[in-house]
Amino acid sequence: MSKFFYFQLAWSNIKKNKKMYFPYILTCTVTVAMYYLIHSLAGNEGFGSGTVRAVLGLAVNITAIFAVIFLFYTNSFLMKRRKKEFGLYNILGMEKKHLGRVVFWETADVAAISLAAGFVLGILLDRLMFLAILRLIGEEIPVDFRISVDPVLSVLCLFGIIFLLIFLNSIRQIHLSKPIELLRGGNVGEKEPKAKWLVALLGLGCLALGYYISVTTTNPVAALSLFFVAVVLVILGTYLTFMAGSIAFLKILRKNKGYYYQARHFTSISGMIYRMKQNACGLANVCILSTMTLVMVAATLSMWMGMNGIIRERFPREICASSNRPEDGQTAELRAWMDGLLQQEEVVPENLVSYSSLSFSVLEQGGEFLSGGGSGENLLSQVNQLRNLFFVSLEDYNRINGTDETLEDGEVLFYSNGEEYPNAQFQVFGSTFRIKKQLKEFEGNNLAASDIASSYFVVVKDLQAVSGLFRASKDGQETQVYYNDYYAFDMGGEEQQASALYGKLQKAWTEAGLSGNVGCRYDSRQNFIEMYGSLFFIGVFLGALFIMATILIIYYKQISEGYEDKERFEIMQKVGMDQAETKRSIRSQILTVFFLPLIMAGIHMAFAFPSVSRVLALLNMVNVPLFLGCNVVCYLVFAVFYVAVYGVTAKMYYRIIKDK
């Protein structure tokens, strides 16, 4: 026997099973290229800023985890199809150790081809993506290009381990199986599963609870912390619903005699029931991957498209400064300090906005605002009711808006940075205030643009008279009061002038020991561009990975089911089913389950929308209509893409059935 016999046999097997191996090798190649690309970009010092590299570093870990899980998952499809072939070899006299050698060379061939092609593709894409990110974040484009050693070593290490584990897992399956089990490997799951109603109800319960958390959580911080809980519940609920609920649903259809006893439905439903146990896992994976892709791309796209609006919301003026002081009069007012500094620098501010406010955090219960009693635990337990109140004097309001509003004792003007306040009055520690008018906007409300809680601006007749009310709550405990000063203006000159003044302000701010912050629109713009640009790139990058995974799962699902159904449809045709009825039955079978993941992904997106939009608020993304539009567009584009994949795979399925 030639010492290259097993190598030749392995290579021959790959060529004979090219319909199964080619997509797998292509996927391995793209995964290698993607991991090399993202690892190279994360270590590229040409970005200058650590923000981009930090975000890319996170993507490296996600891609590595994805590669391990996904390559193992796709290899399981191959092993399922190859078990019958290995069983035949075993019966014909080939020992399991010889089968192990064949599997070794098959794995080695796939690894060698994937790594070689992956490196070539990754190196070609590396420079292209590097230039794309630099263009995206507005950095200068360098002329040099070099290949880093670290990504190469990391790829060899990671994928060497992956392919080794895949080989060992394949050997384990072969050695633990008897020849007859290998021969029947492709038919595992033919026994009709029972409808597990309790499991189905548990799955629906997990989905309902996850949806409830997403819809009812209104505080951005709570939305961020509970979002992952909701995600876990939805993922678990999706698997349970597809695995148990789909079987129950198909059996309900079977009980419907008028629907079931039709040629196209009889064959399709009876076929899907017995394999749904293994089929459901793939459908759930497609659903979850589709949802992750859509949510991630929609979120990052909306942040990138709405970046200018976010910057404008955060910095309505070229220079914005805000300070806080525990007690009135302990430090000089920001207004006086800034006026003196600008006079010293011979700067005449334009569109000046300045005011003082009194602020504190409360818990909203109905139409009443209550103190948290100084208990952080209490505030956290009721985080959805947490609100920030900013009290502004009528004098300051009229001055900055050029109005001549008047107020009676107990009357206020009211502005909400979120939804409109529904009540005509409210109570604070037992004192009632009547809302004379709800304001549609409030100049300088960016003071609360990045607050974690909903904020209300309340214009009162006399700020000093109000401050005494808040020194003690109902329970007799003192409530911390802060006096805030806000000062914002335009310069009307070049960006460099504003940046230069901003640098001087920062230095003077630090030397004065002021608490708070000072910001410049132009200097902050680059930070926003880097953060949102890198997030957008990562969203598209990971979206591409997940789409690739979705395509491959759908492809292998259709191919596997095609070979499994071939014999069954041949029998049905022998007993009288014509080609037209066969096509209708196939179409009914595919449509019944194929579009379930897409529909479920749309439902997941709809219920995830409130929670994700509140999480985005922490990143100053408050343009909800833009985010909604991005969700709708992404879903429609993905649906068109999904239908195209369906069309291609359905044709392949029918071709397998029809081949003699």
Side-chain angles (χ1 to χ4, degrees):
M1 184 183 295
S2 173
K3 60 182 178 179
F4 297 108
F5 172 76
Y6 295 109
F7 171 79
Q8 294 171 344
L9 181 60
W11 184 247
S12 176
N13 289 339
I14 292 175
K15 291 192 294 183
K16 290 178 181 178
N17 294 277
K18 58 183 179 181
K19 284 185 179 180
M20 303 296 293
Y21 266 103
F22 178 75
Y24 178 60
I25 294 174
L26 182 62
T27 302
C28 292
T29 300
V30 174
T31 307
V32 169
M34 290 290 197
Y35 183 75
Y36 172 85
L37 169 65
I38 202 69
H39 198 291
S40 177
L41 291 175
N44 197 321
E45 297 180 357
F47 292 117
S49 170
T51 303
V52 178
R53 295 171 63 187
V55 175
L56 292 173
L58 177 63
V60 171
N61 298 327
I62 296 175
T63 306
I65 296 171
F66 171 86
V68 173
I69 297 174
F70 185 59
L71 293 187
F72 262 86
Y73 184 79
T74 52
N75 183 259
S76 67
F77 282 98
L78 286 175
M79 284 302 299
K80 183 181 176 183
R81 287 300 312 159
R82 299 295 308 284
K83 279 184 178 180
K84 187 174 182 179
E85 181 182 336
F86 290 144
L88 184 60
Y89 284 152
N90 203 187
I91 290 176
L92 292 176
M94 187 176 286
E95 298 179 17
K96 288 185 177 181
K97 64 179 182 180
H98 300 138
L99 292 177
R101 293 176 186 177
V102 175
V103 173
F104 169 79
W105 283 113
E106 287 182 0
T107 306
D109 289 342
V110 172
I113 296 172
S114 301
L115 288 170
F119 275 127
V120 173
L121 181 61
I123 291 170
L124 292 175
L125 291 175
D126 185 21
R127 181 63 176 175
L128 181 63
M129 291 298 102
F130 176 58
L131 298 177
I133 295 178
L134 289 180
R135 185 71 177 264
L136 198 63
I137 64 177
E139 294 280 357
E140 293 184 1
I141 298 177
V143 295
D144 63 319
F145 176 71
R146 57 185 181 272
I147 299 174
S148 180
V149 178
D150 288 343
V152 176
L153 295 177
S154 183
V155 167
L156 292 175
C157 182
L158 174 65
F159 286 90
I161 294 173
I162 290 176
F163 285 117
L164 176 61
L165 293 176
I166 287 175
F167 165 68
L168 294 176
N169 184 56
S170 301
I171 292 297
R172 180 188 64 83
Q173 293 184 56
I174 291 174
H175 276 272
L176 292 179
S177 300
K178 298 177 181 178
I180 191 65
E181 292 175 346
L182 290 172
L183 282 172
R184 298 181 59 187
N187 297 322
V188 174
E190 287 190 357
K191 185 179 179 181
E192 181 178 317
K194 297 180 180 179
K196 299 179 180 178
W197 293 99
L198 185 61
V199 177
L201 291 174
L202 180 61
L204 292 175
C206 289
L207 288 177
L209 183 57
Y211 292 161
Y212 177 80
I213 292 174
S214 177
V215 173
T216 58
T217 306
T218 59
N219 183 274
V221 171
L224 179 61
S225 59
L226 295 175
F227 178 74
F228 297 101
V229 177
V231 168
V232 171
L233 287 170
V234 169
I235 291 175
L236 179 61
T238 301
Y239 276 105
L240 294 178
T241 301
F242 271 101
M243 294 178 68
S246 57
I247 296 172
F249 174 71
L250 289 171
K251 290 195 173 186
I252 290 174
L253 291 179
R254 190 171 64 178
K255 290 181 179 180
N256 187 341
K257 306 301 182 182
Y259 179 87
Y260 180 65
Y261 288 109
Q262 297 181 31
R264 64 181 185 273
H265 296 155
F266 177 83
T267 306
S268 61
I269 291 177
S270 59
M272 286 187 292
I273 286 178
Y274 78 79
R275 78 155 67 91
M276 186 52 70
K277 203 172 191 178
Q278 65 190 40
N279 204 18
C281 184
L283 293 174
N285 288 333
V286 172
C287 176
I288 292 168
L289 286 172
S290 300
T291 305
M292 292 172 62
T293 301
L294 291 168
V295 172
M296 191 161 36
V297 174
T300 54
L301 177 62
S302 63
M303 285 192 295
W304 177 250
M305 293 181 63
M307 182 175 58
N308 289 330
I310 293 171
I311 296 173
R312 181 68 64 175
E313 179 77 17
R314 187 69 180 85
F315 299 95
R317 299 290 188 271
E318 294 177 358
I319 303 288
C320 298
S322 60
S323 67
N324 57 74
R325 40 200 167 92
E327 295 292 341
D328 191 27
Q330 285 189 353
T331 60
E333 289 189 1
L334 180 64
R335 189 185 310 169
W337 187 84
M338 288 290 293
D339 285 341
L341 188 62
L342 293 180
Q343 187 177 2
Q344 181 181 337
E345 296 293 332
E346 299 181 349
V347 174
V348 180
E350 299 179 4
N351 302 321
L352 175 63
V353 177
S354 66
Y355 64 88
S356 298
S357 64
L358 183 150
S359 70
F360 57 97
S361 296
V362 293
L363 299 176
E364 182 181 0
Q365 297 181 2
E368 188 173 9
F369 297 109
L370 305 174
S371 168
S375 172
E377 184 179 351
N378 186 37
L379 288 177
L380 290 175
S381 66
Q382 305 180 65
V383 68
N384 276 338
Q385 286 76 46
L386 185 62
R387 303 288 184 266
N388 289 325
L389 288 181
F390 295 87
F391 284 82
V392 181
S393 69
L394 180 63
E395 179 184 356
D396 277 351
Y397 176 78
N398 284 330
R399 177 174 50 80
I400 63 178
N401 290 279
T403 57
D404 191 24
E405 295 282 354
T406 60
L407 292 172
E408 301 292 334
D409 292 338
E411 286 186 338
V412 298
L413 305 178
F414 198 90
Y415 170 80
S416 172
N417 73 337
E419 298 178 355
E420 183 176 340
Y421 190 71
N423 302 320
Q425 62 183 26
F426 63 92
Q427 290 183 346
V428 180
F429 309 146
S431 297
T432 303
F433 293 87
R434 300 184 304 276
I435 299 177
K436 180 180 179 180
K437 183 189 339 184
Q438 293 220 24
L439 305 174
K440 294 185 178 181
E441 59 182 4
F442 190 92
E443 189 74 31
N445 70 349
N446 64 299
L447 185 68
S450 57
D451 280 343
I452 62 174
S454 298
S455 298
Y456 299 140
F457 285 79
V458 184
V459 180
V460 295
K461 186 177 180 180
D462 186 359
L463 189 62
Q464 294 301 321
V466 175
S467 65
L469 171 68
F470 310 125
R471 299 208 181 270
S473 63
K474 281 184 174 182
D475 56 12
Q477 298 184 10
E478 187 171 333
T479 302
Q480 185 67 61
V481 180
Y482 285 97
Y483 289 86
N484 306 282
D485 296 313
Y486 180 77
Y487 196 100
F489 61 94
D490 292 325
M491 292 190 60
E494 299 292 331
E495 293 185 8
Q496 292 79 2
Q497 294 177 321
S499 297
L501 178 62
Y502 170 60
K504 295 178 181 179
L505 285 175
Q506 277 188 312
K507 183 179 179 180
W509 191 279
T510 304
E511 293 175 351
L514 295 175
S515 60
N517 64 82
V518 59
C520 176
R521 181 191 298 166
Y522 303 121
D523 284 58
S524 299
R525 180 184 295 275
Q526 186 60 33
N527 294 330
F528 276 89
I529 290 175
E530 289 180 358
M531 183 172 66
Y532 291 151
S534 56
L535 287 174
F536 177 57
F537 174 81
I538 297 305
V540 174
F541 178 85
L542 295 180
L545 277 182
F546 294 156
I547 287 175
M548 179 185 69
T550 302
I551 292 175
L552 199 65
I553 291 173
I554 293 173
Y555 174 84
Y556 277 128
K557 173 181 170 297
Q558 294 293 80
I559 295 297
S560 300
E561 292 183 3
Y563 284 114
E564 292 174 8
D565 292 342
K566 181 178 175 65
E567 184 177 349
R568 182 163 59 91
F569 276 104
E570 286 178 352
I571 295 173
M572 296 300 296
Q573 288 177 355
K574 289 178 180 179
V575 296
M577 180 179 285
D578 58 25
Q579 289 291 331
E581 289 176 334
T582 301
K583 278 189 174 182
R584 285 196 295 269
S585 179
I586 292 172
R587 189 178 298 113
S588 174
Q589 175 173 319
I590 295 174
L591 288 175
T592 301
V593 295
F594 196 91
F595 286 97
L596 281 179
L598 181 63
I599 296 171
M600 284 295 295
I603 296 172
H604 290 347
M605 282 187 70
F607 281 99
F609 179 83
S611 185
V612 176
S613 60
R614 293 178 186 113
V615 172
L616 292 179
L618 293 174
L619 298 172
N620 296 307
M621 173 59 193
V622 294
N623 192 341
V624 177
L626 175 61
F627 181 48
L628 177 61
C630 289
N631 273 270
V632 173
V633 170
C634 287
Y635 185 78
L636 292 177
V637 172
F638 185 80
V640 172
F641 167 82
Y642 197 89
V643 170
V645 173
Y646 156 75
V648 173
T649 55
K651 288 181 179 179
M652 295 181 66
Y653 180 96
Y654 182 71
R655 194 178 295 121
I656 293 171
I657 298 296
K658 191 172 65 173
D659 287 344
K660 303 296 185 182

